[in-house]
């Protein structure tokens, strides 16, 4: 870890794009200001840890979750029919046209 001493009004640069400004020092507290490109995220440590934990929990997928999602997934053309209802469903469909009709 690099340790630097700066006074109020002084700046620290990180690379070409990030500036850290010492805004105020009061007792044991230091106020810092940051200038960085929008794509650079800046968080307090405790917020960063909460985000990382939330992302980790969101990435965990259980078998229950997959099963629940499978109920909403489109099937291969027809919805599955429970075994006891297959015969009733088949008889409810119109009969195919007879061969050699008029």
């Amino acid at each position: 870890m690099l340790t630097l001493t700066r006074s109020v009004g002084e700046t620290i640069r990180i690379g070409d794009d990030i500036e850290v400004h010492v805004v105020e020092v009061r007792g044991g507290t230091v106020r810092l200001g940051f200038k960085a490109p929008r794509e650079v995220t800046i968080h307090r440590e405790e917020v960063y840890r909460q985000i990382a934990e939330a992302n980790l929990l969101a990435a965990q997928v259980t078998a229950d979750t997959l099963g629940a999602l499978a109920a909403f997934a489109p099937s291969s053309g027809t919805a599955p029919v429970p075994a006891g209802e297959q015969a009733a469903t088949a008889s409810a469909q119109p009969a195919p046209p007879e061969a050699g009709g008029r």
Side-chain angles (χ1 to χ4, degrees), residues 31-50:
R31 291 186 67 207
L32 301 172
F34 298 88
K35 283 187 182 179
R38 287 195 181 272
E39 61 270 8
V40 175
T41 57
I42 301 172
H43 299 288
R44 296 186 321 255
E45 179 67 22
E46 62 274 15
V47 172
Y48 178 83
R49 287 182 187 201
Q50 288 176 347

Side-chain angles (χ1 to χ4, degrees), residues 16-90:
D16 294 331
D17 299 333
I18 301 172
E19 295 178 12
V20 181
H21 299 269
V22 180
V23 176
E24 179 182 19
V25 177
R26 184 184 308 169
T29 304
V30 178
R31 291 186 67 207
L32 301 172
F34 298 88
K35 283 187 182 179
R38 287 195 181 272
E39 61 270 8
V40 175
T41 57
I42 301 172
H43 299 288
R44 296 186 321 255
E45 179 67 22
E46 62 274 15
V47 172
Y48 178 83
R49 287 182 187 201
Q50 288 176 347
I51 292 169
E53 183 178 326
N55 287 341
L56 184 64
L57 289 173
Q60 293 176 348
V61 178
T62 64
D64 292 342
T65 305
L66 291 176
L69 289 174
F72 295 103
S75 61
S76 62
T78 60
V81 177
E85 296 179 22
Q86 287 178 353
T89 304

